Amino acid sequence: MATAATDRTAAPEPAPHVLVLPYPAQGHTIPLLDLATLLASRGGVRLTVVATPATAPLLAAHGDAVGELVLPFPSHPAFPAGVESAKGLSPALFGALIVAYAGLRAPLGDWALERSGGPDRVAAILSDFFCGWRQPLAAELGVSRIAFSPSAVYGTAVLHSLFRRMPQREDGDDESPIGFPDLPGAPAYPWRQLTLLYRTYRDGDEVSEGVRRNFLWNLEASSFVSNTFRRLEERYLAAPLADLGFRRLRAIGPLAPDAADAASGRGGETAVSAADLCAWLDGFADDDGSVVYISFGSMAVLQPPHAAALAAALERTGVPFVWAVGTAAPLQEGFEERVASAAATTGRRRGKGRVVRGWAPQVSALRHRAVGWFVTHCGWNSVLEASAAGVPMLAWPMTADQFVNTRLLVEEAGAAVPVSWGGIQAAPEAEVVARVLEAAAGGQCAHVAARAKELAEEAAATVSDGGASRQELDELVRELRELGSEPKE
């Protein structure tokens, strides 16, 4: 006779519940949402993405693949009221944003603890590396925390190395070299090229200490997941890095969609539709690769001397271009009208230059066959989108991790040509920028363009079935599935 226990059909155990916390900056939120969507598509895990009212609209492009938890943005005396993201934010406030955003810890902890005894208990936390405060929360909940890096492994290690070792410059010299002895090749950078987050550190200051604590907490995470791929950063993926706490690191990138997916609203509303921009680029169909696409990202506002040098170089060379300038670019009066009406001299029906004021459909532009070069600040999202599209870069780093990314691209990957190493502090002369544009447009950098095409092939292979990044993603899914939904003993 069967017992009551064997007669009863056991209810299936709910899939493990993963809490996902992006950082409120375009270059951080977008790739983590891409990763969350990929994880959800594999099945066997449930994901809830945390957002604030200003960042919640970004989840719309990801449909019903993930759940959402919208919490009020926390207030902090060091951060301006009414601001909820890094978009257009002064670099001087980046540290304050990290510290202010950590105010979500208490309400998020309450939310998670209310569910700790049931099927919706949080089994793991996947959070951006600017949200290191999730580490003590994960410890409180007794769950694993995976730190997500939207940056290069190289750049992520440099950033954490600074706050781990706290190196100092000599005699206040901005050119004083700062070395990174625990990284392959022991690279060094002049002080002025280090991230402002570190250069503005003040001992005992609440914001400074909060930023440092953020990165030290990351070194206690169970593992890192990085939006990169092995062939681009093989040197830094060969062995665990001291500057990342010797933690397991999964390279699962590039998290760069194809042009069709990008046109669906990923990244929020654009100032021009992908269809409109691509129709304009179609006017160059008889001259593939002739157009230069220009963007310095969603956060930075190009300084007037830099904008003036670039605008003068574009007019001087006559190179066809699309320039996504943002909403506050200091362009010379009449520049837009002059370049838009240049059809008479170039023979182009649609004019030779187009200025986009606001967010542009960058992936769609880079995937268009008319675009042959990309003038970029070398933010990592832009680097990966260009690499996946096979577009060589004209690198013009300004701040943050951009100098590290540029050196990786120029000296190791061979897929970029430097425009200027002066950063925000020193704009190049227009003649210098013009020479770089002319060399690229004139075919003098063909070896760089060829290497960019190779990177695109490698990027496509690594995210295909059997590729290294696809394998790492599948292993991450298996790891999350095995967490189960029952509390740990």
Side-chain angles (χ1 to χ4, degrees):
M1 179 177 177
T3 64
T6 55
D7 285 339
R8 188 179 300 114
T9 301
E13 184 176 317
H17 185 195
V18 180
L19 197 59
V20 181
L21 182 67
Y23 180 72
Q26 295 281 94
H28 291 245
T29 298
I30 292 171
L32 186 49
L33 289 179
D34 287 340
L35 174 57
T37 302
L38 277 175
L39 293 174
S41 71
R42 295 298 191 274
V45 292
R46 293 173 295 149
L47 299 104
T48 296
V49 178
V50 181
T52 66
T55 59
L58 289 175
L59 273 65
H62 298 265
D64 299 326
V66 298
E68 67 176 53
L69 170 62
V70 180
L71 297 172
F73 190 91
S75 62
H76 192 282
F79 196 70
V83 179
E84 294 189 18
S85 77
K87 191 171 184 179
L89 190 69
S90 165
L93 288 171
F94 286 177
L97 176 56
I98 291 173
V99 174
Y101 201 58
L104 287 180
R105 176 180 170 181
L108 196 53
D110 292 342
W111 181 89
L113 287 171
E114 288 174 0
R115 291 155 178 77
S116 59
D120 284 336
R121 69 169 289 271
V122 174
I125 296 175
L126 171 62
S127 65
D128 188 276
F129 67 24
F130 277 174
C131 302
W133 50 271
R134 295 299 289 276
Q135 188 60 36
L137 176 59
E140 181 182 354
L141 297 173
V143 302
S144 299
R145 179 205 167 216
I146 301 166
F148 173 74
S149 168
S151 302
V153 173
Y154 181 16
T156 303
V158 165
L159 180 60
H160 287 78
S161 177
L162 290 170
F163 288 100
R164 181 176 73 91
R165 298 186 303 109
M166 301 297 289
Q168 300 299 311
R169 58 178 169 170
E170 295 181 2
D171 302 322
D173 182 8
D174 275 358
E175 297 299 325
S176 178
I178 304 298
F180 296 87
D182 294 324
L183 284 173
Y189 290 84
W191 175 267
R192 65 177 177 82
Q193 291 184 0
L194 302 182
T195 174
L196 193 65
L197 279 175
Y198 183 72
R199 287 188 287 123
T200 56
Y201 174 86
R202 289 182 293 149
D203 190 25
D205 175 73
E206 179 192 1
V207 170
S208 292
E209 296 296 348
V211 170
R212 184 181 186 220
R213 187 164 56 247
N214 173 85
F215 293 109
L216 295 181
W217 271 328
N218 285 334
L219 303 182
E220 301 173 15
S222 60
S223 62
F224 280 82
V225 174
S226 183
N227 184 19
T228 190
F229 58 104
R230 187 161 293 277
R231 289 299 295 271
L232 183 58
E233 292 200 85
E234 202 141 14
R235 190 181 193 188
Y236 307 99
L237 290 163
L241 300 174
D243 289 321
L244 294 179
F246 294 107
R247 291 304 193 257
R248 172 78 165 86
L249 199 151
R250 299 190 188 278
I252 47 79
L255 295 169
D258 60 29
D261 289 341
S264 66
R266 172 185 181 265
E269 185 178 355
T270 59
V272 59
S273 70
D276 182 27
L277 184 56
C278 288
W280 188 88
L281 289 168
D282 286 343
F284 299 85
D286 59 340
D287 197 2
D288 286 358
S290 63
V291 178
V292 175
Y293 178 75
I294 305 163
S295 175
F296 289 86
S298 61
M299 292 192 295
V301 175
L302 205 58
Q303 299 301 303
H306 299 72
L310 179 54
L314 289 169
E315 289 201 84
R316 186 171 304 179
T317 60
V319 173
F321 69 89
V322 172
W323 186 356
V325 300
T327 57
L331 295 182
Q332 183 186 46
E333 185 176 354
F335 171 77
E336 293 180 60
E337 292 75 15
R338 290 196 302 274
V339 298
S341 62
T345 57
T346 64
R348 303 278 187 214
R349 178 173 58 87
R350 298 179 182 272
K352 76 175 182 68
R354 179 161 183 177
V355 173
V356 178
R357 287 195 171 272
W359 187 255
Q362 182 164 293
V363 173
S364 297
L366 292 173
R367 297 292 178 118
H368 197 285
R369 65 181 188 177
V371 173
W373 288 87
F374 180 18
V375 176
T376 172
H377 63 314
C378 290
W380 194 244
N381 254 20
S382 291
V383 166
L384 289 183
E385 288 169 358
S387 296
V391 178
M393 287 159 270
L394 300 178
W396 195 341
M398 295 294 174
T399 186
D401 60 350
Q402 296 158 21
F403 290 98
V404 179
N405 297 342
T406 297
R407 185 169 312 176
L408 174 69
L409 290 166
V410 172
E411 298 179 3
E412 298 187 36
V417 176
V419 175
S420 170
W421 294 98
I424 292 176
Q425 296 166 310
E429 296 294 328
E431 292 83 356
V432 174
V433 182
R435 282 198 296 270
V436 176
L437 289 173
E438 287 171 341
Q444 298 173 35
C445 305
H447 59 294
V448 177
R451 179 57 185 142
K453 297 298 183 187
E454 292 174 1
L455 271 184
E457 294 173 0
E458 293 163 0
T462 198
V463 295
S464 300
D465 288 340
S469 288
R470 178 59 58 85
Q471 290 180 30
E472 291 279 25
L473 178 68
D474 290 341
E475 288 179 15
L476 175 60
V477 172
R478 282 195 292 271
E479 176 186 322
L480 293 173
R481 286 173 180 162
E482 289 170 1
L483 293 174
S485 63
E486 293 302 317
K488 295 179 180 179
E489 296 295 336

